[in-house]
Amino acid sequence: MRERLVIVGSGMASGRMLEHLCAAAPDAFDVTLFGAEPHGNYNRIMLSPVLAGEEKFGDIVTHDADWYTKRKIACRFGETVTKIDRERKVVLSRNSETPYDKLVIATGSVPFVLPIAGKDLPGVVAFRDHNDVQAMLAAAEKPDANAVVIGGGLLGLEAAAALKKRGMNVVVLHLMGHLMELQLDPMAGGYLQQELEQRGIKVHFRAQTKAILGNERAEAVLLDDGTLYPADLVVMAAGIRPEVRIARDAALYVERGIVVDDGMRTSDSDILALGECAEHRDRCYGFVEPLYEMASVASQTLLGKEARFQPAKTATNLKVTGVHVFSAGDFTGAENCEPILLSDPSGGVYKKFILRDDKLVGTVLFGDTADGAWYLDLIRSGASVAAIRDDLAFGRALAMREAA
Ligand SMILES: Cc1cc2nc3c(=O)[nH]c(=O)nc-3n(C[C@H](O)[C@H](O)[C@H](O)COP(=O)(O)OP(=O)(O)OC[C@H]3O[C@@H](n4cnc5c(N)ncnc54)[C@H](O)[C@@H]3O)c2cc1C
């Protein structure tokens, strides 16, 4: 009899793991896939273009009903797993008990909701799934409607630009002094701010949100300094937390995320975790590239092969049409680092490179990101850039020609 594999969460990480597993050993397991959302795996990162009207939801679905049927995967979409009973080796949902031999937890993250008055009013949404996008689109249908986006990070800005494109008046409230401070230095953050303001998006820095006001639904956002912004829609984009509830309740070892070893095994060797809910060597990840690596490792572990998760350095791109932002590695330039800067305010181009011991360790690009992948390769390889350092900022073509 085949082993029973139960997967909790039909998101990007588990979708990729299933692809690996089905390609390598299509008959190894009887698979049951639970997903709280009403549909199967889709490309979550493309929700921003869907919100902006540049893509349709159907186009970002990565696994349709046919895909699962062909692979004999039992889909339980729209069904939230509420409990793992490790002694009996079953997972429970509201209406069912499902036995497993191996269990994979891939529950992703939950948006962090500011604990303020009014947070539960209708009209207050997060930006995590297709449901949230539908709620935002409904709010944008009202003519001249106001949106307040709490959070000037990647998600908040993608939401803000998309809602602006949909015709809303948009204010971004950001706690810090410049935008996307986790990925950009103040200078690049300033370029980005200017670009968004030119599109009509207002940005309020050092904003301490005090309350969301409204009777039946959200009507305004009040800041600590007394500023009041009208709001038909409030988007909470203030961060995410690994979704670890069922793992913690089942007494698996959980810190910030569900702690896994190099093979994605949790503290129970029959249970694996991967994706944003997993914590590996004190780190949780919020971008897909390392999660895809986890997916490959998890599929091999399930098949009894030796595999180790070794995350590579990743890059960040902002998905706002016409705005080119790229960030990778250590862009802050701590001790023993040497920055190289290129700044062209009228051309809207800014580039910063951080070198340590003649190696590129980080970069921030605004305006011209065409060579981002090449810079990322240089960062990952750790190769010396001494021979091309004078031309580094001018891109691959020139730097390599000069070096030849
Ligand atoms: C709008 C947006 C834009 C993004 N842009 C980028 C980008 O440009 N680049 C990038 O690298 N990353 C981006 N990300 C992040 C990326 O989408 C995530 O890192 C990735 O989706 C995480 O994959 P995951 O499988 O861990 O979690 P998810 O894809 O979130 O999947 C988890 C699934 O598990 C379900 N679930 C949770 N608990 C249960 C339960 N108890 N029972 C059943 N189902 C459950 C959830 O409903 C969800 O469907 C973006 C995210 C968003 C929201």
Side-chain angles (χ1 to χ4, degrees), residues 54 154 157-158 161-162 179-180 184 188-199 201 316-326 348 365-369:
E54 295 158 359
L154 182 123
L157 297 183
E158 289 186 1
L179 295 173
M180 285 181 68
L184 302 181
Y191 273 74
L192 178 57
Q193 176 193 346
Q194 211 178 2
E195 172 65 40
L196 296 176
E197 284 175 347
Q198 275 167 11
R199 293 177 179 215
I201 296 169
T316 306
N317 286 287
L318 185 68
K319 298 186 299 302
V320 174
T321 302
V323 183
H324 303 285
V325 176
F326 181 91
L365 309 175
F366 185 91
D368 173 10
T369 57

Side-chain angles (χ1 to χ4, degrees), residues 355-361 374 377-389 392 399-400 403:
L355 270 55
R356 190 186 301 131
D357 301 329
D358 282 332
K359 291 172 187 154
L360 184 63
V361 294
W374 179 58
D377 280 348
L378 288 176
I379 293 170
R380 283 179 173 165
S381 72
S384 168
V385 293
I388 55 171
R389 58 169 292 150
L392 192 62
M400 298 316 282

Side-chain angles (χ1 to χ4, degrees), residues 7-15 34-37 39 42-48 76 79-82 106-109 127-129 154-155 158 240 243 245-246 274-277 285-291 315-319:
I7 303 170
V8 184
S10 55
M12 295 193 72
S14 72
F34 283 89
E37 294 184 68
H39 30 62
Y42 60 92
N43 189 347
R44 191 175 304 282
I45 76 177
M46 296 304 280
L47 285 176
S48 301
R76 307 278 285 271
E79 198 168 337
T80 301
V81 169
T82 50
T107 44
S109 292
F127 188 16
R128 183 71 197 176
D129 58 27
L154 182 123
L155 277 195
E158 289 186 1
I240 53 171
E243 172 55 285
R245 281 175 291 187
I246 52 169
L274 78 156
E276 285 185 351
C277 65
Y285 294 86
F287 289 99
V288 286
E289 219 182 313
L291 309 186
T316 306
N317 286 287
L318 185 68
K319 298 186 299 302

Side-chain angles (χ1 to χ4, degrees), residues 12-49:
M12 295 193 72
S14 72
R16 184 55 69 97
M17 188 197 76
L18 274 172
E19 284 171 17
H20 287 300
L21 203 57
C22 294
D27 298 319
F29 293 99
D30 279 329
V31 182
T32 304
L33 174 63
F34 283 89
E37 294 184 68
H39 30 62
N41 306 75
Y42 60 92
N43 189 347
R44 191 175 304 282
I45 76 177
M46 296 304 280
L47 285 176
S48 301

Side-chain angles (χ1 to χ4, degrees), residues 282-299:
D282 302 328
R283 276 197 71 178
C284 295
Y285 294 86
F287 289 99
V288 286
E289 219 182 313
L291 309 186
Y292 282 168
E293 177 60 22
M294 286 182 178
S296 163
V297 171
S299 68

